């Protein structure tokens, strides 16, 4: 028994020693593993920081260069627009300089009638061609006739011999110059041409083209655009506070050249807060420093030597830098994911090695888990890469779709404006044809006064068509047109004169009931006539083929308002169309009988007057009511 006891005792002690041996033998292993792990983490941290700093800078440069083609496309469109606007008026001065009415006004001691005729001719051409101003000057630079002869800031009597376009045209060449008007204070591009009589130069004709419309189209965009002259002064800009400021300090010689031609009048010509910030891909970088805001741009430029301009597009680099930062962060995450997986795998392998002597079965399970986690991390890495590629493809597709939508919107606006112009000119053109036919009949019967009266009406209608064209153009731009006090009696009389050629062709009873005396409203006379003509034309179309056709016009004057009702006894407007009757291109007429623009244009015109055009429901026929602010009669 003693021997047995002795043999058992040592075995128990040996088992206890074996259980404690791994702790004693491996006491230094965890410390070594922690050191290796800390070193690996520090190494990965350094690599991640290098990626964020170095790779982010490289990716930002590549992203900024990738935006340059977009800026070049924008630049080509802008330069084409500027050249097209200048080319549209380039040959006009030579054609106008041959007009006898200008030659007569520039001869020595011209009569008052010659000057008046030249003034009217210049104003008519300026309105027709959309010019800012048109005027003629004697060889000493004094203006004798101008399109703004009847305005407070008239050019008549002013001397412009200091302008280069005057000297170039007087010398027999073509005068071209852009500057700030010293009288009007408005920017413009000037064309000059010599006015000759039998080879002798009598004076100079000058035309000023307004450039505000071109500049307005650049605003509210994701980029900035500027146009500079040969001295580096910003003449056109997408931001108003950048106008008439220089990109570099002006020398005394440059300021003297500018002052000699008074190109920018009394503008201080301070510098823009744009500082050079290096180059990327051969394109200059600029930095805009302002209190609380800092922006960086990459520039794309193109010269316009025919105008002496340089057009520049400034693309903001902030979106490109954000995209580069996102890519760098994604790359760092991918870099960390692999080592993290390896470290986890190594850690688990170490634990398995420690437990090999105890749990072989647990070792197999842990190895399976490590393999599954490694596969999952690889799948996550692949999915991240696929998401990055998909996002880039989606952004490219969005840019292409945006360009297509912009082009489609331009074509739709052009078609709508063409249709509106055709619709609004059809009524005056019909009246012109009627008056012209009657004038021929009067001439055949030697009734010259009556024929002269019809020709006068034709000229008046021609001016109206010009005004309608200008009104439609302004309507497309949504301008704040000036309103005046208009007598409803006069507007109704002129509108009936325009539509009379249609009323006379069919048996229609016209019932007009207006209060006596002046009935003044706040409106534009030509556009108000346009609204009444549209309503009368629609009523005549509705009464086509009806024997007892009647059109009624009733006016009522209330406190602060005047209400005009135009009604007929036709078939009326079908039920359920009240919300669509004023929509563009919506018509209840047959195919080919109308474009559906009359009521839409009339609705917007009356709304611009501060009034309302509404549809009234009545038992028989259609009725439209115009509600306008009333103007008090001055005592």
């Amino acid at each position: 028994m003693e021997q047995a006891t002795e043999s058992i005792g040592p075995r128990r002690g040996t088992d206890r020693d074996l259980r404690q041996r791994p702790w004693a033998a491996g006491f230094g292993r965890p410390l070594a593993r922690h050191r290796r792990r800390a070193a690996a983490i520090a190494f990965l941290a350094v690599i991640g920081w290098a990626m964020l700093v170095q790779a982010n800078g490289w990716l930002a440069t590549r992203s900024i260069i990738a935006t340059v083609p977009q800026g070049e496309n924008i630049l080509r469109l802008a330069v084409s627009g500027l050249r097209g606007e200048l080319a549209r008026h380039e040959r006009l001065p030579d054609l106008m300089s041959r007009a006898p009415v200008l030659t007569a006004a520039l001869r020595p001691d011209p009569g008052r009638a010659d000057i008046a005729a030249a003034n009217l001719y210049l104003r008519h051409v300026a309105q027709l061609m959309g010019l800012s101003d048109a005027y003629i000057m004697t060889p000493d630079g004094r203006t004798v006739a101008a399109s703004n002869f009847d305005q407070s800031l008239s050019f008549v009597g002013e001397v412009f011999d200091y302008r280069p376009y005057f000297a170039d045209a007087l010398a027999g060449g073509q005068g071209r110059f852009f500057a700030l008007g010293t009288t009007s204070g408005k920017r413009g591009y000037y064309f000059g041409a010599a006015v000759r009589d039998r080879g002798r130069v009598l004076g100079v004709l000058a035309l000023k083209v307004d450039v505000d419309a071109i500049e307005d189209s650049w605003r509210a965009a994701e980029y900035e655009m500027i146009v500079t002259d040969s001295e580096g002064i910003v003449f056109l800009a997408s931001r108003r506070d950048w106008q008439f400021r220089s990109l570099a300090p002006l020398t005394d010689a440059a300021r003297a050249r500018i002052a000699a031609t008074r190109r920018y009048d009394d503008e201080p010509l301070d510098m823009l807060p744009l500082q050079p910030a290096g180059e990327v891909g051969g394109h200059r970088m600029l930095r805009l420093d302002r209190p609380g805001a800092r922006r960086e741009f990459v520039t794309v430029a193109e010269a316009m030597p025919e105008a002496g301009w340089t057009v520049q597009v400034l693309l903001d680099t902030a979106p490109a830098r954000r995209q580069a930062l996102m890519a760098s962060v994604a790359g760092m995450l991918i870099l960390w994911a692999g080592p993290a997986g390896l470290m986890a795998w190594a850690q688990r392998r170490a634990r398995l090695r420690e437990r090999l002597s105890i749990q072989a079965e647990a070792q197999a399970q842990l190895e399976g888990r490590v393999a599954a986690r490694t596969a999952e991390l690889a799948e996550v890495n692949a999915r991240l890469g696929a998401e990055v590629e998909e996002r880039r493809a989606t952004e490219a597709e969005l840019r292409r779709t945006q360009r297509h939508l912009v082009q489609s919107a331009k074509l739709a606006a052009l078609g709508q404006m063409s249709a509106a112009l055709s619709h609004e000119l059809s009524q005056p053109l019909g009246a012109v044809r009627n008056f012209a036919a009657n004038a021929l009949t009067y001439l055949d019967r030697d009734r010259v006064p009556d024929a002269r009266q019809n020709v006068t009406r034709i000229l008046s209608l021609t001016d109206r068509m010009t005004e309608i064209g200008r009104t439609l153009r302004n309507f497309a731009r949504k301008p704040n047109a000036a309103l005046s006090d208009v007598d409803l009696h006069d507007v109704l009389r002129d509108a009936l004169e325009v539509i009379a050629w249609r009323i006379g062709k069919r048996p229609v009873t016209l019932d007009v009931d207006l209060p006596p005396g002046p009935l003044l409203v706040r409106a534009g006379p030509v556009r108000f006539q346009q609204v009444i003509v549209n309503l009368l034309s629609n009523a005549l179309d509705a009464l086509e083929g009806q024997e007892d056709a009647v059109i009624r016009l009733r006016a009522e004057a209330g406190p602060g308002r005047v209400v005009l009702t135009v009604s007929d006894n036709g078939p009326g407007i079908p039920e359920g169309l009240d919300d669509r009757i004023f929509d563009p291109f919506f018509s209840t007429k047959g195919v080919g009988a109308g474009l559906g623009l009359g009521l839409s244009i009339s609705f917007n015109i009356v709304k611009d007057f501060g009034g309302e055009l509404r549809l009234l429901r009545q038992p028989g026929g259609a009725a439209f009511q115009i509600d306008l602010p009333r103007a008090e009669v001055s005592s």
Side-chain angles (χ1 to χ4, degrees):
M1 292 295 293
E2 293 178 359
Q3 294 176 353
T5 304
E6 290 177 359
S7 62
I8 294 173
R11 282 200 296 271
R12 289 179 179 177
T14 303
D15 293 339
R16 192 183 314 65
D17 292 339
L18 290 174
R19 286 196 298 269
Q20 293 178 353
R21 187 177 299 118
W23 294 94
F27 179 78
R29 294 178 183 176
L31 181 60
R33 283 200 303 270
H34 286 308
R35 288 178 179 177
R36 290 195 299 270
R37 188 179 305 167
I41 292 175
F43 175 75
L44 290 176
V46 173
I47 294 297
W49 177 256
M51 175 175 288
L52 277 178
V53 175
Q54 300 297 329
N56 181 61
W58 182 83
L59 288 175
T61 301
R62 304 308 304 173
S63 300
I64 292 171
I65 294 176
T67 63
V68 170
Q70 177 187 3
E72 292 175 345
N73 292 334
I74 297 171
L75 180 64
R76 282 194 293 269
L77 290 175
V79 172
S80 298
L82 288 170
R83 283 177 173 157
E85 184 66 17
L86 298 182
R88 190 163 67 93
H89 302 90
E90 188 173 11
R91 297 183 60 83
L92 186 59
D94 291 335
L95 296 176
M96 289 181 60
S97 64
R98 303 171 188 174
V101 67
L102 301 182
T103 305
L106 287 173
R107 288 173 181 164
D109 299 327
R112 296 179 61 184
D114 295 333
I115 298 298
N119 284 329
L120 294 176
Y121 173 75
L122 291 171
R123 183 175 66 181
H124 174 73
V125 175
Q127 293 176 350
L128 182 64
M129 299 302 296
L131 300 174
S132 176
D133 299 294
Y135 49 98
I136 55 175
M137 297 165 285
T138 58
D140 58 356
R142 183 176 59 85
T143 304
V144 297
S147 59
N148 59 358
F149 67 94
D150 55 349
Q151 299 179 12
S152 58
L153 296 177
S154 173
F155 291 172
V156 176
E158 299 289 338
V159 177
F160 300 110
D161 58 348
Y162 52 85
R163 293 295 200 190
Y165 67 82
F166 172 80
D168 294 340
L170 192 65
Q174 184 184 34
R176 299 183 70 165
F177 189 64
F178 61 96
L180 183 67
T182 57
T183 302
S184 63
K186 292 182 60 178
R187 296 166 302 164
Y189 195 89
Y190 296 84
F191 290 94
V195 180
R196 293 181 173 86
D197 183 18
R198 299 177 182 178
R200 183 168 58 92
V201 177
L202 297 180
V204 172
L205 165 67
L207 304 179
K208 182 179 179 181
V209 179
D210 191 359
V211 294
D212 289 346
I214 301 176
E215 188 182 60
D216 291 340
S217 65
W218 298 342
R219 294 191 173 93
E222 297 179 354
Y223 54 85
E224 305 292 349
M225 185 171 294
I226 59 175
V227 179
T228 58
D229 62 5
S230 58
E231 305 291 351
I233 299 174
V234 178
F235 183 65
L236 299 173
S238 55
R239 297 179 53 162
R240 297 186 185 278
D241 56 343
W242 288 11
Q243 297 173 0
F244 311 122
R245 305 183 74 175
S246 63
L247 299 180
L250 294 176
T251 63
D252 294 338
R255 290 186 177 273
R257 289 192 297 270
I258 296 170
T261 60
R262 299 183 64 182
R263 168 168 281 176
Y264 301 112
D265 203 15
D266 297 329
E267 292 291 336
L269 305 179
D270 298 329
M271 277 190 60
L272 273 174
L274 288 173
Q275 302 296 329
E279 290 188 357
V280 57
H283 296 276
R284 189 173 55 159
M285 301 282 291
L286 296 176
R287 183 179 294 110
L288 176 64
D289 291 318
R290 286 192 170 184
R294 182 177 180 181
R295 298 178 66 188
E296 185 184 58
F297 303 96
V298 57
T299 63
V300 184
E302 182 175 343
M304 288 182 61
E306 67 275 16
W309 293 345
T310 299
V311 186
Q312 299 186 50
V313 176
L314 281 66
L315 299 171
D316 198 337
T317 62
R321 292 192 179 277
R322 284 195 297 268
Q323 183 179 3
L325 180 60
M326 292 176 60
S328 299
V329 172
M332 186 182 67
L333 292 177
I334 293 173
L335 177 67
W336 271 79
L342 292 176
M343 291 177 63
W345 180 81
Q347 183 177 6
R348 292 183 182 275
R349 291 287 296 175
R351 291 177 180 177
L352 288 174
R353 284 193 300 268
E354 292 177 0
R355 298 175 181 177
L356 280 176
S357 61
I358 303 172
Q359 297 179 347
E361 201 175 318
Q363 177 182 359
Q365 294 178 356
L366 289 177
E367 288 179 353
R369 292 177 183 178
V370 170
R373 181 60 58 87
T374 303
E376 181 181 351
L377 289 174
E379 183 180 356
V380 169
N381 292 341
R383 190 161 54 247
L384 285 175
E387 289 180 359
V388 171
E389 293 298 327
E390 182 179 359
R391 180 169 297 180
R392 290 177 180 173
T394 302
E395 291 178 355
E397 181 65 23
L398 284 176
R399 286 194 291 270
R400 288 194 296 271
T401 304
Q402 182 181 15
R403 289 196 294 270
H404 293 324
L405 288 176
V406 170
Q407 184 65 19
S408 299
K410 291 180 179 179
L411 293 176
L414 180 60
Q416 183 173 355
M417 179 54 65
S418 300
L421 185 61
S422 173
H423 179 274
E424 294 305 322
L425 292 181
S426 61
Q427 299 295 340
L429 283 174
V432 167
R433 187 182 185 282
N434 190 42
F435 285 136
N438 289 341
L440 291 176
T441 303
Y442 288 147
L443 290 175
D444 293 340
R445 298 177 181 177
D446 292 334
R447 295 171 62 180
V448 176
D450 293 333
R452 182 182 299 278
Q453 184 178 5
N454 275 18
V455 172
T456 302
R457 291 178 176 175
I458 291 174
L459 291 175
S460 176
L461 288 172
T462 303
D463 291 338
R464 288 179 185 172
M465 286 189 285
T466 301
E467 183 66 18
I468 287 174
R470 184 173 61 85
T471 301
L472 282 175
R473 182 188 62 204
N474 292 338
F475 172 74
R477 297 178 183 170
K478 297 184 178 179
N480 296 321
L483 305 180
S484 61
D485 296 345
V486 180
D487 191 353
L488 184 59
H489 295 79
D490 297 338
V491 174
L492 187 57
R493 182 191 64 245
D494 294 339
L496 290 175
E497 182 178 332
V498 173
I499 202 69
W501 68 279
R502 288 194 62 187
I503 298 177
K505 292 183 177 181
R506 61 188 69 183
V508 177
T509 301
L510 194 62
D511 184 7
V512 181
D513 183 11
L514 299 181
L519 192 58
L520 300 181
V521 297
R522 292 294 294 173
V526 174
R527 292 196 290 168
F528 196 7
Q529 295 171 22
Q530 182 180 348
V531 173
I532 296 176
V533 169
N534 282 340
L535 295 179
L536 291 175
S537 177
N538 287 344
L540 289 173
D541 292 339
L543 296 172
E544 184 71 30
Q546 189 166 325
E547 295 181 356
D548 56 343
V550 178
I551 299 177
R552 298 181 179 87
L553 291 94
R554 296 283 188 273
E556 298 179 1
R561 311 293 294 183
V562 173
V563 179
L564 175 65
T565 304
V566 180
S567 62
D568 60 69
N569 61 340
I573 305 298
E575 293 291 338
L577 299 181
D578 297 30
D579 296 336
R580 301 178 58 194
I581 196 67
F582 296 108
D583 290 345
F585 299 102
F586 178 79
S587 175
T588 60
K589 304 173 185 179
V591 177
L595 296 172
L597 288 172
L599 288 179
S600 175
I601 293 175
S602 301
F603 180 84
N604 285 287
I605 290 175
V606 175
K607 185 178 180 182
D608 193 30
F609 295 162
E612 183 179 359
L613 174 61
R614 62 178 74 95
L615 171 66
L616 298 181
R617 285 294 178 182
Q618 62 180 19
F624 291 89
Q625 192 176 80
I626 303 174
D627 188 347
L628 289 174
R630 183 177 181 180
E632 297 297 334
V633 180
S634 59
S635 58

